[in-house]
């Protein structure tokens, strides 16, 4: 991303959209977790093999963890310096993070973002597999009004 975005005002706009949309993802993920805690949760379709249930729970956990950790590392990373993300930084001259933490958080941000992409790809493939091969209605129960088994 940093290499592809051209220098100039468009670069700043791109970074600002990136930060804004990323922060939105984090907020939505937190709202979803609150919703999940307060409501009945989806249950595995009857007869799901144990390894599949474990894989699904692991992948869903990774989706929740990365949709929180990627934006968080992004927000924390430039606290020390850098011209971007003014809106999210109270004081542009503040150096509130240890300098050694900056590159570390930057690397974590990039690595976790790639992990998020990988898990999302596997997740979408699994949803299609449920729909087209297993035909167990798991994808359909994402529709509003569907009344799946819940626990
Ligand atoms: C789900 C949300 C997000 C995703 C998937 C994401 C993903 C990425 C990716 C793939 C890169 C490119 C890494 C590289 O090529 O070096 C990047 C860079 C960056 N992101 Fe995010 N990001 C998210 C949220 C945020 C947020 C909320 C902020 C800050 C408020 C942020 C700040 C940055 C910055 C400053 C960079 C460039 C500098 C660096 O990586 O050290 N990101 N992000
Ligand atoms: C084409 C895109 C997608 C499709 C078709 C899809 C489909 C599904 C389906 C069918 C379920 C199971 C729902 C149930 O058990 O009743 C699910 C759950 C879930 N999806 Fe997706 N999904 C997509 C994209 C994403 C993305 C991009 C994320 C996050 C980055 C995500 C995060 C989750 C999480 C965290 C769960 C678990 C919900 C819970 O049990 O709390 N999904 N998805």
């Amino acid at each position: 991303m940093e290499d592809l975005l051209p220098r100039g005002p468009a670069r700043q706009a791109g970074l600002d959209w990136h930060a804004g949309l990323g922060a939105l993802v984090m907020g939505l993920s937190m709202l979803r977790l609150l919703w999940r805690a307060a409501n009945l949760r989806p249950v595995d379709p009857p007869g799901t093999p144990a390894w599949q249930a474990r894989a699904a729970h692991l992948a869903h956990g990774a989706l929740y963890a990365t949709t929180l950790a990627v934006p968080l590392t992004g927000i924390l990373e430039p606290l020390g310096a850098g011209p971007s993300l003014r809106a999210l930084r109270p004081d542009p001259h503040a150096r509130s993070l240890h300098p050694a933490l900056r590159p570390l958080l930057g690397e974590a941000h990039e690595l976790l973002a790639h992990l998020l992409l990988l898990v999302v790809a596997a997740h979408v493939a699994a949803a299609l597999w449920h729909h087209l091969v297993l035909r167990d209605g798991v994808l359909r129960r994402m529709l509003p009004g569907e009344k799946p088994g819940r626990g």
Side-chain angles (χ1 to χ4, degrees):
M1 182 186 77
E2 288 162 279
D3 299 334
L4 289 177
L5 279 180
R7 305 254 153 220
R11 182 183 179 88
Q12 191 54 54
L15 286 171
D16 287 347
W17 273 99
H18 173 99
L21 291 174
L24 188 66
V25 167
M26 189 175 171
L28 289 172
S29 205
M30 285 157 70
L31 283 179
R32 164 63 196 162
L33 280 172
L34 285 177
W35 180 274
R36 192 181 198 276
N39 289 277
L40 296 175
R41 284 175 280 284
V43 293
D44 303 323
T48 304
W51 72 267
Q52 278 179 29
R54 261 201 305 276
H57 295 161
L58 199 73
H60 293 162
L63 286 170
Y64 282 125
T66 48
T67 45
L68 294 173
V70 172
L72 192 67
T73 48
I75 290 167
L76 292 180
E77 193 256 325
L79 280 176
S84 64
L85 310 166
R86 263 186 297 272
L88 289 164
R89 236 171 347 131
D91 175 4
H93 304 293
R95 287 189 41 149
S96 37
L97 285 181
H98 192 278
L101 268 181
R102 257 202 100 199
L104 210 68
L105 284 164
E107 288 304 314
H109 186 66
E110 186 174 352
L111 199 82
L112 289 169
H114 289 116
L115 178 69
L116 168 62
L117 285 181
L118 276 180
V119 185
V120 166
H123 177 68
V124 172
L128 288 175
W129 181 59
H130 273 278
H131 192 64
L132 301 172
V133 180
L134 300 178
R135 296 169 187 262
D136 55 8
V138 161
L139 181 58
R140 251 194 311 275
R141 67 189 194 181
M142 291 295 286
L143 292 173
E146 291 286 319
K147 297 282 180 289
R150 305 233 149 188

